[in-house]
Each structure stands twice: as C-alpha cells, then as structure tokens.
Amino acid sequence: MIYVIGHKNPDTDSICSAIGYAAFKSALTGEEFVPARAGELNPETTFVLKRFGAEAPVFLESAAGKDIILVDHNETAQAVDNVAEANIREIIDHHKIGDVQTKDPIYFRNMPVGCSATIVYLHFTENNLAPDKTTAGLLLSAILSDTLAFRSPTCTEMDVKTADALAQIAGIEDIQGYAKEMFKAGSELAGKTPKEILYLDFKKFTAGDTTYGVGQVTSMDADELAELKGTMTEYMNSSFDEHGVDMLFLLLTDILDESSEMLCAGKNADETVQKAFTSAEEGRYYLKGVVSRKKQVIPALTEALS
Ligand SMILES: [Mn+2]
C-alpha cells in the first residue's frame, strides 16, 4: 500500500491533490494508492469535500516505515512526522526545491505552475485517462484556492486551461461564482481563537540561522481583516515564545483588493519586513499587489535575511 500525502496544516491543494493523484495512480496501475493527510482539514477544504461528496483522506500520524508519495511540498519541515524514515516513492510539487532526500532515484516532477492539482490533471491527460466528476471538482477547487481564482501572480495559463477543463467535467458553469462560495466558506473566522487563526494556513521556513513562520488568512471581506489586525498583533506578541521560531509573520490577504497587510512579531521582524518590501512603512505594512506567500513573500523574506 502506498500513501499519497500533502504537507502539514494541509490546504485544499494538499488534500485534493493527494486524493486526485491517488486516484490517478490507482487507475493507471490497478494497485492500491491511499490518499492521506498530515493534519486537520481547514474549513475551506471541509466545504470542498462536502460539495463534491468526497471522503477526507486518512490521517497519517507518522510516515516511519511507510511507502509514500509527497504532493504539494518537498521540505522535511513541512512533511508528515518521521518522513526521514519513510520510503519516498515519488514527489509531485510546484514549490521551490527543498531538502527532502532519498536513497534511490525517484520520479520527481516539479513544475512552476500555480497548483499541484494542475500537475495531477496533466498526469491524467498524458495517460489518456480522465478524472471522475468528484475528483475533477476537487482538483478544480485546489486550483481556485491556490491561485485565488486566477488572481495570484503564481497562476499560469496552464492553470486556467486546466481549471476550465475540470469545471466541464465537474459540471461547474460559473467558476468565479463557485470560487466566491468556496472562499466564503473558507474564511469562517468567527468563533476561532487567535491561535487557530494563526495556524489555519501556516508554514515554517529557514533562512541561514533564522527560523520563521508565515501564516496567511485570505478573505474577500475587508472589514473582517481589519478586525483581525488588532487581535492578531496582540496575540502574536504575547504568545511569541510558544511558537518555536525566531520571527512570526501573518499575512492578511484581501482577495478583491489584491493586497496584503503584514503583521509580524519577534526580534528584528520589523526590520526584516522593511528590508524585504520597499513599500512597507514603519508600523503599517500594507503591501499592494502582494497576495502570494510562495512567490512574493518567502523569496523577499529569505533575501532580506541572507
Ligand atoms: Mn499548492
């Protein structure tokens, strides 16, 4: 049995690409590929699975001794526990090349596209296969989620074309309308503690000797984001020592305005943001045009820290 698994704090791409790639591999080989997850589902993904009638992948607590395929990541810091003791069989990803190592040569397909699900669909078409209606709906959702419905600078023509093809299979006529519904379900922040909000979509990175964490909250509701600014700034400062990082960042991304407000905590965090983004003024880090953590924020922070 081979598990297909995305990163910790899984987002819609990590969950749906795991399901999609497991379905593809099973269809191709007739063998058993099991979609798995390395953490709890977020509200957006919960909505998506329900919308298309799919089951959540099984929770994998440890990868030790298991055969696994990684999707949507290739950094050990983001991977399921004990990934170093797993037998990694393949990697399907769209991020920068990280530090995952293997003993043997493996199939490693990394493409600079907006979403892992786009690469998953490519595997279907390259092999004259097609995803079923449910899988198509999940892969479409992943693309809309990762590309912020085609607004992110990470979005490529291939992502848009793939989404169109998947929408046809899934029977989604109004793609933007569906995206709006999905984002709305995903940004149900009411009743969440500041800690839960910080970790909704949170990743750790290392640059030189510095370890930093970057969370991101995306919303179509500017008022909701404005409210978060005060509570989250206070929480990040008061709880700073709990998080095990040198610096803590949180992006409050306004999808319609195509901008983000950057909150930060930790020694030198302010200086790092100002160095990374010339538009950042002391005390207010409103970043116009910045919506992608991967393409716009991580490279700028890494550069500023090096
Ligand atoms: Mn992704």
Side-chain angles (χ1 to χ4, degrees):
M1 191 203 289
I2 299 174
Y3 292 97
V4 184
I5 190 165
H7 55 73
K8 279 188 175 171
N9 291 306
D11 58 8
T12 298
D13 188 23
S14 261
I15 296 294
C16 294
S17 284
I19 296 172
Y21 198 66
F24 161 73
K25 290 292 287 187
S26 299
L28 187 72
T29 64
E31 285 160 33
E32 197 181 5
F33 291 82
V34 179
R37 61 186 166 90
E40 292 301 313
L41 299 177
N42 69 29
E44 182 188 278
T45 313
T46 303
F47 165 83
V48 167
L49 293 178
K50 202 170 160 206
R51 175 71 173 72
F52 293 100
E55 295 222 353
V58 295
F59 176 62
L60 202 61
E61 216 177 319
S62 165
K66 301 219 159 55
D67 284 307
I68 60 172
I69 293 174
L70 302 182
V71 294
D72 201 34
H73 69 302
N74 71 102
E75 305 223 17
T76 42
Q78 296 169 7
V80 58
D81 285 346
N82 305 316
V83 71
E85 296 152 53
N87 182 21
I88 299 172
R89 305 277 296 250
E90 297 183 21
I91 301 173
I92 307 295
D93 196 14
H94 69 129
H95 292 89
K96 70 184 171 80
I97 306 303
D99 62 348
V100 167
Q101 298 197 347
T102 61
K103 284 187 219 81
D104 302 302
I106 61 159
Y107 182 78
F108 184 169
R109 190 147 181 191
N110 197 84
M111 293 172 72
V113 292
C115 183
S116 298
T118 298
I119 310 169
V120 171
Y121 181 66
L122 186 61
H123 283 81
F124 278 96
T125 55
E126 283 174 349
N127 290 278
N128 296 315
L129 293 167
D132 62 22
K133 198 171 171 179
T134 295
T135 308
L138 301 182
L139 294 174
L140 167 67
S141 303
I143 295 172
L144 294 172
S145 172
D146 264 19
T147 67
L148 300 175
F150 315 133
R151 290 179 184 86
S152 169
T154 57
C155 186
T156 67
E157 209 183 313
M158 192 176 162
D159 296 299
V160 179
K161 282 188 178 154
T162 302
D164 283 340
L166 289 165
Q168 277 208 348
I169 302 171
I172 300 289
E173 278 170 32
D174 177 5
I175 293 182
Q176 287 297 337
Y178 169 65
K180 208 165 175 180
E181 212 184 314
M182 182 185 82
F183 289 131
K184 193 153 185 255
S187 70
E188 271 171 13
L189 300 170
K192 292 250 173 335
T193 66
K195 185 172 184 174
E196 286 169 332
I197 291 170
L198 179 66
Y199 283 95
L200 271 178
D201 181 6
F202 185 85
K203 287 182 181 175
K204 281 187 185 177
F205 299 89
T206 308
D209 298 334
T210 308
T211 301
Y212 63 99
V214 187
Q216 184 171 28
V217 174
T218 50
S219 175
M220 290 190 158
D221 184 345
D223 295 337
E224 181 179 63
L225 293 174
E227 263 176 51
L228 277 184
K229 201 181 154 182
T231 49
M232 292 309 293
T233 303
E234 199 186 304
Y235 169 73
M236 285 161 64
N237 283 300
S238 64
S239 67
F240 183 76
D241 292 339
E242 286 175 22
H243 305 286
V245 291
D246 301 310
M247 296 179 195
L248 202 53
F249 302 97
L250 179 63
L251 288 164
L252 302 177
T253 301
D254 184 330
I255 298 171
L256 295 181
D257 187 46
E258 299 189 22
S259 69
S260 295
E261 182 97 27
M262 169 83 97
L263 311 183
C264 63
K267 199 168 169 258
N268 296 326
D270 279 281
E271 290 81 349
T272 304
V273 176
Q274 286 168 42
K275 203 174 160 194
F277 300 98
T278 47
S279 66
E281 291 164 37
E282 204 180 330
R284 183 167 193 258
Y285 305 138
Y286 170 77
L287 309 174
K288 183 67 190 169
V290 173
V291 293
S292 168
R293 174 173 51 195
K294 176 171 65 179
K295 194 157 187 169
Q296 297 171 301
V297 175
I298 301 310
L301 290 176
T302 305
E303 170 86 17
L305 287 168
S306 67

